[in-house]
Amino acid sequence: MAASIQVTVPATGNKISVPTGLFINNQFVPSVDSQETIECVNPATEEPIGSVVAGSVKDIDVAVAAAREAFKTTWGKNVTGIERGRLLNKLADLMERDAQVLGELECLNNGKPLKIARDFDVGDSVACLRYYAGWADKIVGQSIEIDSKTKFAFTKHDPIGVCAQIIPWNYPINMWAWKVAPALACGCTIVMKPSEFTPLTALKLSELIVEAGFPPGVVNTIPSLGSVGGAALSSHKDVDKIAFTGSTVTGRKIMAAAAMSNLKKVSLELGGKSPHLVFESADLDQAANWVALGILYNTGQDCTAGSRVYVQDTIYDKFLQILIGKAKELVIGDGFDEKSGGGPVVSKVQYDKVWSYIESGKQEGAKLALGGVKRSGKGYFVDPTIFTDITPEMKIVKEEIFGPVLSVGKFSTEEEAIRLANDTTYGLGAGLHSMIVSAHTFKQVWVNQYNLLYNNVPFGGKKQSGIGRELGSHALEEYTSVKAIQWNFGEKLDWPL
Amino acid sequence: MPQTFTYVFDTPVYKGTSSFSTGIFINGKFQDGSEGGYIDVINPTNGKVITKVSEGTAKDVDVAVEAAQKAFDTVWGLNCPGFERGKLLYKLSELMTAHADEFAALEALDNGKTFGWARKADIEAAIGSIRYYAGWADKIQGNTIETTKDKIAYTTHEPLGVVGQIIPWNFPLMMISWKLGPALAAGNTVILKPSEFTPLTALLMAQLTVEAGFPPGVVNIINGYGTTVGHALSHHMHVEKVAFTGSTLIGRKVLEAASKTNLKDVSLELGGKSPNIIFDDCDIEQAVNWTVHGIFWNHGQACCAGSRIFVHEKIYDDFLHRFTEKTKSLKIGDPFAADSYQGPQVSQQQYDRIMSYIDSGKEAGATVHLGGSRWGNEGYFIEPTIFTETKPDMRIVQEEIFGPVGVVIKFHDDDDVIRQANDTVYGLASAIFTKNIDRALKTSQRLRAGTTWINCANQLHAQIPFGGFKQSGIGRELGEYALQHYTAVKAVHINLGHEI
């Protein structure tokens, strides 16, 4: 196939060149043994954008070998933290320079509005890279007192090694940055498998890896099907760690494969069914804004989507009306249209999945307060959908839908609210809307706000929402391995004991 | 209106023009000192005046404190998130990089150190410090602390407010960066007094803070004298902290001033008489090279200079011979000549002081093994000097000379040399040369010094803390540790249900 495709941005006619090969050792190459390709589709028009090479199991081997070689020679302990920080800052500068192009490509492949892709997805990613650039020369261990006359003990936080990273399609650029930044800051090398739905920005970003000056093999990018490349990485004997963001179903497979192969370290960032609790003391208008954001941002395609909301009975009717009004204000449309606040869902597969949940909601007896009617015409558009009169056993209440579909329930006491909120196998986010403080069991609790993430605050799930943390200083622990060194300078050992 | 200083460099190592205001820098603007005075800037290679800069006085400090406080209360401090502060510091480091050669030339002109050393040591370290602290700005974290079910408790590490910083003349730009980096990263606003001997790089730096986008009042730079501006900062009732690098003598005054006024936080980085211990099982070639670097780097004008050189008797003659030969090979001359290692001392005052120490050594009966005299006919050049056959109570052995004067002392007993090494009111740094790991670790553990260099000397990194034991100072600069001196801990207790 051609080395690159010219992708046309519909709104402007601009052409963006995207390399189509697998990115290994700072070069774009064909597969060693396969003719398979991955076709990328514009979800707003259902039109094909272009195809890229699909990596095979053998290609994964080649990429891992390249990453291992780099780790042993030009990266890992062979590069200083200062240099890693410098390169990450350079990469951030380049992403900032190319924000418009990256935003357009993201909008085209994922569907999200251009201004959000450019200003938030790319903007937050640039900040993420800079945040971890700052950590690169600050990864410290401890010196530990044992007996100052004879011993000296200290720890070093060594890079784990070759890291496989598998990212989803909902925030392709942002997820790329969350993974790449801490791994590189710590001195790890990477084999990155972007989602087969949205590989284009990962390939474009690989060009910036070269331009920034990272040595060959430090970052490798292999678009591939999960069942091929993802499976190969999970069970690879020479991968030291795998980091996965995606569904809980796939997360299990990855953990099992790690266990059966080489006990590689595993971190998982999985699904959620995050609840909001709106207490009577809350500022209802603000709470409604946050709840709307929580389920409609990114068209609900967010692991922390606030997909359940429980409202105190004393304010239920009032709040529901305000919320419906807010949801109606959001315009879902083509991402290149200035008016769009949300785009289509990413693919036909997702579109069908979300609609099947909406149908099940109707069948199981929930009431539709908003939405529930398919659009005609092209594009995987799903309009804001609100169900009320829910019961805990309903599929729409238990399972992650990953679309703009909200379930609204009622409670009277705080204990009841907490019980309803915690009644889930997930444990990712929770929104608490109240002027009165109380404790909660969720990991990621937002008080009087929702969904906002910051590069220096850790993020991750309890229970079946995941293992490990991203962002903040905690992410560094995922990419380092502690070595303890005990230095004897004064003890002589008597023998036999 | 303050004058613009313009200087055309046309030298073998650097050609370029530098131009900046000579005013005092308050609230984002350069202005004349309120009492209209000026300070001459002297070229130490020839004693001639290069230019003059505006002189700030106590009144200017008052104005600066007001501006710095206003900035802290409105656009800086907790009003500016860490990642924004980090962005500005990163931008500043990029601007410094763009002006790196110019900075090195100004430093060589003003201080007398060679362009080569200024460029590869001072300027690189200065840029590195600002970049390092840019990375800390959004990572200043407190703790959450478990006590009972009814309480959520946490600490925040908050900026102190307006801080005063007084720096010396030996590494002007590097000292500015060591001070501004952590102070600004932590969210403080700053009033910095450069040394009256070396104000030039500070003025260019002030201009770059404007270009980087720091809001007015966040960084203020006031050239002036210690007895006026330094005194005012140390005594000011609304300066929350003062950081001072300089002599132990003045350090005492700063601490005393703080105690008599508002009990402001004080950190001090003072003098040293650091021991360099050379064991008989060292790599002798390397030990010689590091020893030269330890005492002759920066013309001996380093607080951490390895100025007492203890050599094991088994290798004494060999070491002394090699050390002497190596020292003789150091080229003294024009800071802008490509092959110069050493330029003049910074001022007439310093020259006189060092020469008087050399005289005292001669008078006390020590042997001048090498040097001991002025070099050349103009400027403040002094020959690299080595004394031997000293006695422990000699002034040249006890007191900080701050010049290219090393004292070589023979020893035979490990315990005794460590006792001698520690027998000083100072405790800034130390160096150990041996190939035996056990000896190195044991000795390093027993030395009372803030830094122990094993098989190296005078190595400074933005990532590694630096500071003194005993009368060498209070507190640490560099590394994460510096941040502790620019933040105050607030503990917050949230009661979830405990009723009384």
Side-chain angles (χ1 to χ4, degrees), chain A residues 82 86 89 93 130-131 134-135 137-138 148-149 152 437 456 473 487-490, chain B residues 87 90 94 131-133 135-136 138-139 141 437-438 441-442 445 463 480 494 496:
Chain A
I82 296 170
R86 186 188 72 78
N89 266 317
D93 290 342
R130 293 204 193 287
Y131 176 75
W135 271 123
D137 61 352
K138 301 172 178 66
S148 299
K149 293 202 299 299
F152 170 53
V437 178
N456 56 358
S473 60
W487 213 326
N488 176 15
F489 59 86
Chain B
K87 260 165 91 168
Y90 179 68
E94 297 275 88
R131 284 182 75 105
Y132 176 76
Y133 285 104
W136 269 122
D138 58 356
K139 302 174 177 65
Q141 293 161 188
I437 288 173
D438 289 354
L441 289 177
K442 269 190 209 157
Q445 191 265 321
Q463 298 78 14
E480 184 182 1
I494 304 176
L496 298 178

Side-chain angles (χ1 to χ4, degrees), chain A residues 264-337:
Chain A
K264 56 176 63 61
K265 309 293 164 288
V266 177
S267 57
L268 304 173
E269 209 275 279
L270 308 175
K273 192 71 185 179
S274 302
H276 289 265
L277 299 177
V278 183
F279 287 84
E280 62 189 3
S281 68
D283 175 337
L284 296 187
D285 189 71
Q286 274 297 296
N289 283 351
W290 292 110
V291 170
L293 180 75
I295 189 55
L296 298 178
Y297 187 71
N298 216 42
T299 315
Q301 300 170 114
D302 192 310
C303 50
T304 56
S307 49
R308 297 180 289 147
V309 57
Y310 298 100
V311 187
Q312 197 152 29
D313 45 14
T314 44
I315 42 139
Y316 179 86
D317 292 328
K318 186 163 177 214
F319 181 78
L320 185 60
Q321 286 319 300
I322 300 174
L323 181 61
I324 292 171
K326 299 289 183 187
K328 280 183 179 167
E329 284 172 30
L330 185 78
V331 175
I332 291 201
D334 187 311
F336 286 100
D337 186 341

Side-chain angles (χ1 to χ4, degrees), chain B residues 29-337:
Chain B
K29 290 198 164 41
F30 290 92
Q31 58 199 61
D32 290 314
S34 60
E35 281 165 61
Y38 297 94
I39 301 176
D40 282 341
V41 181
I42 309 287
N43 183 337
T45 61
N46 56 24
K48 300 206 169 76
V49 174
I50 302 168
T51 185
K52 57 183 201 236
V53 300
S54 302
E55 181 197 349
T57 54
K59 249 199 247 149
D60 299 303
V61 171
D62 283 338
V63 172
V65 171
E66 213 182 298
Q69 187 66 53
K70 176 136 183 270
F72 183 75
D73 292 336
T74 58
V75 299
W76 202 246
L78 296 173
N79 304 296
C80 181
F83 74 86
E84 291 285 359
R85 302 195 298 262
K87 260 165 91 168
L88 290 173
L89 282 165
Y90 179 68
K91 185 82 219 273
L92 182 60
S93 78
E94 297 275 88
L95 290 169
M96 289 170 78
T97 301
H99 288 263
D101 286 349
E102 186 187 347
F103 268 124
L106 286 168
E107 205 81 298
L109 178 69
D110 202 358
N111 166 285
K113 64 180 75 204
T114 64
F115 175 87
W117 274 112
R119 182 66 185 84
K120 76 171 183 240
D122 296 53
I123 308 310
E124 283 307 309
I127 296 170
S129 300
I130 298 290
R131 284 182 75 105
Y132 176 76
Y133 285 104
W136 269 122
D138 58 356
K139 302 174 177 65
I140 297 174
Q141 293 161 188
N143 295 324
T144 57
I145 303 160
E146 294 295 317
T147 48
T148 68
K149 255 167 34 64
D150 295 327
K151 192 188 281 282
I152 292 178
Y154 62 91
T155 57
T156 54
H157 293 198
E158 304 186 357
L160 299 167
V162 177
V163 306
Q165 306 185 314
I166 303 167
I167 59 169
W169 45 259
N170 55 348
F171 299 95
L173 188 71
M174 192 170 93
M175 292 288 104
I176 290 174
S177 304
W178 283 21
K179 294 276 185 289
L180 290 185
L184 295 175
N188 301 282
T189 53
V190 172
I191 302 166
L192 186 142
K193 186 195 97 57
S195 164
E196 58 268 33
F197 292 102
T198 51
L200 297 184
T201 45
L203 291 168
L204 178 56
M205 188 69 160
Q207 181 182 296
L208 295 188
T209 65
V210 177
E211 284 176 42
F214 283 88
V218 172
V219 178
N220 305 276
I221 295 183
I222 305 181
N223 279 308
Y225 293 103
T227 46
T228 52
V229 175
H231 185 273
L233 284 172
S234 316
H235 284 82
H236 207 287
M237 294 300 286
H238 297 296
V239 167
E240 299 301 325
K241 177 221 168 59
V242 65
F244 170 80
T245 297
S247 67
T248 298
L249 182 71
I250 306 295
R252 286 183 195 290
K253 295 192 179 164
V254 171
L255 189 58
E256 188 185 352
S259 71
K260 289 189 165 148
T261 52
N262 64 344
L263 284 174
K264 57 172 64 58
D265 186 285
V266 178
S267 53
L268 303 173
E269 210 273 278
L270 308 175
K273 192 73 183 180
S274 301
N276 181 351
I277 305 176
I278 316 214
F279 288 104
D280 58 322
D281 53 4
C282 69
D283 174 338
I284 200 164
E285 196 53 42
Q286 279 297 296
V288 165
N289 292 346
W290 284 111
T291 300
V292 168
H293 184 62
I295 184 54
F296 297 122
W297 176 50
N298 213 43
H299 325 170
Q301 300 169 132
C303 46
C304 49
S307 47
R308 290 182 296 149
I309 302 156
F310 296 93
V311 185
H312 196 283
E313 64 182 5
K314 283 205 193 120
I315 55 163
Y316 181 88
D317 292 335
D318 187 16
F319 179 89
L320 184 59
H321 172 75
R322 292 179 195 236
F323 177 42
T324 307
E325 290 308 300
K326 199 78 198 206
T327 305
K328 280 184 188 166
S329 76
L330 301 176
K331 200 140 186 303
I332 305 159
D334 176 12
F336 290 95

Side-chain angles (χ1 to χ4, degrees), chain A residues 142-194:
Chain A
Q142 301 173 347
S143 67
I144 303 160
E145 187 197 2
I146 305 177
D147 174 348
S148 299
K149 293 202 299 299
T150 59
K151 298 277 172 74
F152 170 53
F154 62 100
T155 60
K156 290 196 65 160
H157 289 209
D158 291 340
I160 277 187
V162 173
C163 298
Q165 303 187 316
I166 302 175
I167 56 173
W169 46 258
N170 57 347
Y171 297 92
I173 293 174
N174 215 183
M175 292 290 101
W176 187 92
W178 282 23
K179 294 275 186 289
V180 162
L184 294 179
C186 293
C188 297
T189 55
I190 295 169
V191 177
M192 163 72 70
K193 189 199 92 58

Side-chain angles (χ1 to χ4, degrees), chain A residues 268-271 304 426-429 441-444 458-470:
Chain A
L268 304 173
E269 209 275 279
L270 308 175
T304 56
Y426 293 114
L428 191 51
T441 194
F442 279 70
K443 264 296 179 151
Q444 206 71 31
F459 177 84
K462 273 188 154 180
K463 297 172 20 178
Q464 294 186 34
S465 282
I467 294 172
R469 290 291 167 269
E470 300 198 87

